Amino acid sequence: MNIHAIKAIYKFEMSRTWRTLLQSIVSPVISTSLYFVVFGAAIGSRITEIEGVSYGTFIVPGLIMLSLLTQSIANASFGIYFPKFVGTIYEILSAPISPLEIVIGYVGAAATKSIILGLIILATAGLFVPLKIAHPFWMIGFLVLTAVTFSLFGFIIGVWADNFEKLQVIPLLIVTPLTFLGGSFYSINMLPPVWQTITLFNPVVYLVSGFRWSFSEIADVPVGVSFGMTLLFLALCLIAVLWIFKTGYRLKK
Amino acid sequence: MPIISIKNLSKVYPSGLRALNNVNLDIESGEIFALLGPNGAGKTTLISIICGIATRSEGSVMVGGHDIDSDYRAARSLIGLVPQELHTDAFETVWATVSFSRGLFGKRKNPAHIEKVLRDLSLWDKKDSQIVTLSGGMKRRVMIAKALSHEPKILFLDEPTAGVDVELRKGMWDVVRELRASGVTIILTTHYIEEAEEMADRVGVIANGELILTEHKAALMQKLGKKQLTLHLQKPLDAIPAQLDAHHLELKADGRDLVYTYDTRGERTGITALMNDLNAAGIRFKDLNTSQSSLEEIFVSLVHREV
């Protein structure tokens, strides 16, 4: 194991975060606060409690998930896309590093950033609404698993993308809509029966549901199913990453 | 044992372009090997395959006795690569980017070594500068510093002096000579043939993906080198006298210079006979000089013959 290389990549990626602190940390916190103002105060005052929880408290896990997914993807995809774009990827490819070590470095840093961000958003939410975390261990578990999974997914997007537009297209056109439609801001029980069924094809439902369960024990699907689906998506991303390195897809000439 | 051993190496791109065709090459430890060839000949592709940046279609490459695929860690640890393009992390500092390279190659921190590398390349006073603020020549040196950060045994320099001014180029060659003296094997590609001529122990010529020849520089020059003897005449000639036809002379500079071309490979160069015949013809000269064809001329003639 080339520990020094993993550390070097991790440190390099993290230093990029501190260099772009405004963009990396401050802007997501501001947008989350705006969600609270708009959804929590304006809409929340017209929605009564959902399954015994105030609307403001209800949307906290969904809001964290929204940032966690988009930021994990953005961090990891940019982290690997940028060296490809400027050409510094040559050094990564010519170094005595295994694919696994490259992934640990890039995905580890991306996931670390989004976990820190998730916790900051959680703390920010605490300023607006009363918070209760029923299962802290599971809460952290879902947070970490989701961050890692979507950082892997972002890594794949970053490898696949060969221009900046492709880098944005999946997060904007697929992930964000799925997150909004995945029960971040509502319980899927509030939907008509047909849409409840359709919604179950949205993987984000399982992430949000499990995460929300760890806060307030409210869940759209059983927590075991949520956990299983998260692991399944993690496994799919891992397989895709292994394939990328085995074939040199979009990395090697 | 050669430090790099390339056997039957071919590279075919998906487009069908055959960038390398059955290349066989051994590079000895401690030598400076210059790879010459026109643009698109396959120089960079060859280097990229050895370093792990490009995949190969056929053949095998061993570096320090390690297969570049099955034992890539050991193979790549030995190699430092300075690519042709200036790929840098613009917003990193010089110190951070060079330290990053060392870590990437699995070496623990060694600020003393990094300092030495930066001082040798006259980058020490720029160590805290962001790369984006540096000139092109300095960026080039940062790339070299990165490649040397992990104390490689083999250094690849792909067109290292392209776009570098004369003074800096000389400084770079001093660094290369020092490295060679410390036992580092150096493989360079260059367009500046005088550089290969001055620096290299051996020369390889590549054209259309094929290695046309590899030869010790001196042997190559001798083998292919033609020498010319120019006689500056006291009185200009209108034409070369018929009795000198056997020497295949050329008349230049409005009849004031007589040029004799001969082959250094031959046991007899024919100079003595020429002098005797000139004497007999009553042709007198005030000065003479000889010149040998440069590596560039050899190279151009080789590549043309191949194409």
Side-chain angles (χ1 to χ4, degrees), chain B residues 8-221:
Chain B
N8 309 109
L9 185 68
S10 294
K11 168 77 181 177
V12 184
Y13 283 105
S15 64
L17 174 76
R18 190 167 268 272
L20 290 175
N21 190 19
N22 197 27
V23 171
N24 287 283
L25 175 64
D26 281 346
I27 290 176
E28 300 301 326
S29 183
E31 72 174 335
I32 298 183
F33 186 88
L35 200 53
L36 299 177
N39 286 327
K43 302 186 295 282
T44 300
T45 303
L46 181 60
I47 290 179
S48 296
I49 291 173
I50 301 170
C51 294
I53 297 167
T55 55
R56 66 199 140 129
S57 307
E58 287 160 38
S60 71
V61 181
M62 306 283 275
V63 176
H66 310 285
D67 183 272
I68 56 161
D69 272 349
S70 61
D71 202 2
Y72 67 91
R73 273 189 211 269
R76 291 184 197 169
S77 307
L78 298 172
I79 298 176
L81 166 65
V82 184
Q84 195 172 337
E85 308 284 334
L86 288 172
H87 302 305
T88 53
D89 288 300
F91 303 108
E92 289 288 312
T93 65
V94 171
W95 180 269
T97 198
V98 176
S99 303
F100 169 76
S101 300
R102 185 175 172 87
L104 213 51
F105 278 75
K107 289 276 168 76
R108 65 176 66 250
K109 280 184 184 169
N110 185 349
H113 176 72
I114 306 282
E115 180 175 342
K116 184 184 180 312
V117 169
L118 292 182
R119 283 189 189 281
D120 286 350
L121 289 160
S122 315
L123 284 169
W124 181 245
D125 56 334
K126 295 285 179 190
K127 71 183 168 71
D128 297 318
S129 304
Q130 284 194 323
I131 296 170
V132 69
T133 65
L134 303 181
S135 69
M138 283 177 187
K139 283 182 191 153
R140 179 73 65 188
R141 279 180 284 159
V142 170
M143 306 283 287
I144 298 178
K146 281 166 79 70
L148 296 177
S149 66
H150 63 275
E151 300 157 70
K153 292 272 171 284
I154 303 163
L155 183 65
F156 282 95
L157 297 163
D158 196 357
E159 303 278 349
T161 50
V164 170
D165 66 40
V166 177
E167 196 181 341
L168 193 55
R169 206 184 294 167
K170 282 186 178 154
M172 261 184 211
W173 293 125
D174 289 340
V175 173
V176 169
R177 282 197 192 93
E178 243 177 71
L179 282 170
R180 199 264 289 268
S182 70
V184 176
T185 307
I186 292 150
I187 296 106
L188 61 97
T189 71
T190 178
H191 275 120
Y192 298 106
I193 292 170
E194 66 270 29
E195 260 170 19
E197 199 165 344
E198 193 186 329
M199 301 292 305
D201 301 309
R202 274 203 308 152
V203 175
V205 178
I206 193 166
N208 295 328
E210 294 196 30
L211 198 60
I212 307 171
L213 74 86
T214 54
E215 193 72 82
H216 281 277
K217 184 182 62 186
L220 178 66
M221 308 268 299

Side-chain angles (χ1 to χ4, degrees), chain A residues 183-247:
Chain A
S184 298
F185 301 108
Y186 54 85
S187 165
I188 62 172
N189 294 326
M190 296 158 84
L191 299 173
V194 178
W195 283 103
Q196 287 190 29
T197 311
I198 292 173
T199 297
L200 291 178
F201 289 97
N202 178 352
V204 179
V205 166
Y206 302 91
L207 302 173
V208 173
S209 171
F211 197 48
R212 183 171 289 135
W213 174 85
S214 71
F215 278 80
S216 54
E217 295 185 311
I218 300 171
D220 290 323
V221 291
V223 66
V225 176
S226 285
F227 188 61
M229 291 298 274
T230 311
L231 290 182
L232 177 69
F233 199 49
L234 177 67
L236 290 177
C237 290
L238 277 175
I239 291 168
V241 165
L242 284 178
W243 176 81
I244 284 170
F245 280 107
K246 206 172 158 79
T247 58

